[in-house]
Amino acid sequence: MIFIDKWLYIIRNCSFDNTYKMSWARAITEIACEGEYTENSCVEITMESIARKVIRYYWEQTIFFDLQQSSNPVKPPVIVSIVKALIAIYQSNTGSKRPIKWYAANVETICSNAYQKAVRDIVKALKQDVSFRFLHINGKEVEGIYNYVQKANSIYIHSDCLAQLKKYSLIVFDAINYRWTQMLENFNHSPRLSKKVRIIDEREVRRKSLGKFSTYIGMENPYQHCFLCGEKIENETPAIDHVIPWSYLYSDDLWNLVFAHQSCNSSKSNVIPSEEMIQRLEERNQTMLRKLKERGKRDKHILEVEMAIEHKLVRKFWISCQG
């Protein structure tokens, strides 16, 4: 079996305890893509270089979606706890709770000491819990992957193996993302998990303008009352609010969007709505759909509202997002 087949075999058959092995495999594959290799040489990959990439993966999936990465939500994996602590320090230093992509966050500068400590702590966890176990499937070691002495600061991979990883990287990344998604499905009730895994690949998250939904919402709420406080919105353009937080749904759906005061929208943040609010949203959707149909409106957004009502998506997603 050639190296790339062995690598994919491990990815497809490793245990589901947590997502560490996927972050490990992805980091090494990324490092392979960044290098140029001389034939028949041995290449050193430091634990520190792997740890720096692993931080980014868990930063993205945590700060935007707070995804569970193991089966025990009460006791998250050590690496996830380290990243959560780093996020808390970053948010305290910047005074902002707004999710931000790793590449835009400049964590290494803003939280230099905390970042360096996080790297050291993750290196320790990788040495103890991942580097050795990654090579073992069903109690048997897959040979010919890399050389590693437990607790060492580096692994060593043959240059030809890294060249294969680089050549077949698109296939490898697809396999890692698929397996990571499968794992997260065991630990989370969250929708669109494959998209949330792929956030690692995106240099930035571009939130689409919600202005196109104003006409639809306005047909049900022509006098522009705030869905959150009930008061009329005056002397300002209404904000369009996601009742069930965007960070959970990771999409803009008409059946989940309402008018709100700018201030009400800002103060609500990512708070899970009350059952009373969910009931009002369900009633709003019924009324909005009826009024849109009366006006002869028919497009994909309206069909989605109809489907949401038929399948009770508002309540189902609300229940799921509570964990």
Side-chain angles (χ1 to χ4, degrees):
M1 192 186 306
I2 64 172
F3 172 83
I4 196 66
D5 290 336
K6 293 178 182 179
W7 193 256
L8 290 171
Y9 172 79
I10 292 173
I11 291 167
R12 291 168 180 153
N13 292 279
C14 67
S15 64
F16 268 48
D17 297 340
N18 57 49
T19 61
Y20 279 3
K21 292 179 181 178
M22 292 305 96
S23 64
W24 173 264
R26 184 185 176 92
I28 293 172
T29 306
E30 275 193 18
I31 291 168
C33 291
E34 294 166 356
E36 299 292 336
Y37 306 105
T38 304
E39 289 186 14
N40 297 320
S41 62
C42 189
V43 179
E44 178 184 10
I45 298 178
T46 66
M47 288 292 183
E48 181 177 336
S49 64
I50 296 172
R52 289 177 182 275
K53 291 186 179 295
V54 167
I55 287 177
R56 172 167 63 85
Y57 308 153
Y58 288 117
W59 173 283
E60 307 285 36
Q61 292 188 16
T62 300
I63 199 168
F64 281 94
F65 312 119
D66 197 22
L67 293 174
Q68 300 294 327
Q69 303 286 345
S70 72
S71 58
N72 188 351
V74 178
K75 188 179 180 182
V78 171
I79 291 176
V80 176
S81 297
I82 293 167
V83 173
K84 284 188 173 183
L86 181 61
I87 289 171
I89 292 169
Y90 177 83
Q91 291 178 333
S92 175
N93 287 357
T94 60
S96 173
K97 298 292 185 181
R98 182 176 63 86
I100 184 169
K101 289 285 291 179
W102 175 263
Y103 288 119
N106 196 20
V107 179
E108 298 98 321
T109 301
I110 294 174
C111 306
S112 177
N113 292 337
Y115 173 70
Q116 296 301 330
K117 182 179 185 304
V119 170
R120 292 192 299 271
D121 290 344
I122 289 177
V123 164
K124 187 184 300 183
L126 293 175
K127 288 180 180 181
Q128 177 179 328
D129 205 33
V130 188
S131 52
F132 180 75
R133 292 183 184 180
F134 179 78
L135 301 176
H136 291 77
I137 302 296
N138 299 322
K140 185 177 179 181
E141 182 177 351
V142 180
E143 298 180 346
I145 300 298
Y146 54 73
N147 295 320
Y148 177 67
V149 178
Q150 280 191 290
K151 298 187 179 180
N153 291 321
S154 300
I155 64 172
Y156 294 88
I157 303 184
H158 196 278
S159 60
D160 293 350
C161 298
L162 291 174
Q164 285 186 48
L165 272 183
K166 185 174 184 178
K167 180 178 179 180
Y168 297 106
S169 60
L170 292 180
I171 295 171
V172 174
F173 286 136
D174 281 348
I176 291 169
N177 287 349
Y178 177 68
R179 192 65 165 167
W180 203 325
T181 300
Q182 284 185 308
M183 291 178 175
L184 292 178
E185 285 174 345
N186 284 348
F187 313 145
N188 299 268
H189 299 292
S190 182
R192 301 178 179 89
L193 283 170
S194 64
K195 288 179 66 177
K196 292 174 179 177
V197 168
R198 292 199 307 272
I199 194 174
I200 295 169
D201 301 317
E202 302 169 2
R203 297 292 295 193
E204 60 180 311
V205 175
R206 293 184 178 180
R207 299 282 293 271
K208 296 179 181 178
S209 170
L210 301 178
K212 64 183 179 183
F213 294 105
S214 292
T215 301
Y216 300 94
I217 301 169
M219 287 185 182
E220 187 277 330
N221 184 8
Y223 298 108
Q224 299 183 346
H225 285 86
C226 176
F227 187 84
L228 302 178
C229 73
E231 298 295 322
K232 193 173 187 305
I233 302 169
E234 297 181 296
N235 304 318
E236 64 176 270
T237 301
I240 297 180
D241 177 58
H242 298 78
V243 179
I244 299 173
W246 176 88
S247 61
Y248 176 76
L249 289 179
Y250 199 20
S251 69
D252 305 316
D253 305 290
L254 176 58
W255 51 265
N256 187 46
L257 299 173
V258 296
F259 284 152
H261 286 106
Q262 298 285 349
S263 57
C264 290
N265 182 42
S266 297
S267 61
K268 172 177 171 281
S269 188
N270 287 329
V271 173
I272 297 172
S274 65
E275 184 171 10
E276 180 272 333
M277 189 175 290
I278 289 300
Q279 184 173 336
R280 285 197 291 114
L281 180 60
E282 290 174 322
E283 294 168 355
R284 189 293 302 261
N285 285 340
Q286 293 276 4
T287 303
M288 181 169 65
L289 181 62
R290 176 176 55 79
K291 290 187 176 182
L292 288 169
K293 284 186 171 181
E294 287 172 355
R295 289 165 173 77
K297 300 289 185 182
R298 196 76 172 166
D299 61 24
K300 70 171 186 175
H301 300 300
I302 296 165
L303 290 173
E304 286 169 359
V305 173
E306 196 167 27
M307 182 187 69
I309 293 171
E310 179 181 349
H311 295 285
K312 298 180 171 57
L313 294 188
V314 169
R315 190 157 294 268
K316 286 179 180 177
F317 281 136
W318 173 67
I319 291 170
S320 294
C321 76
Q322 298 177 78

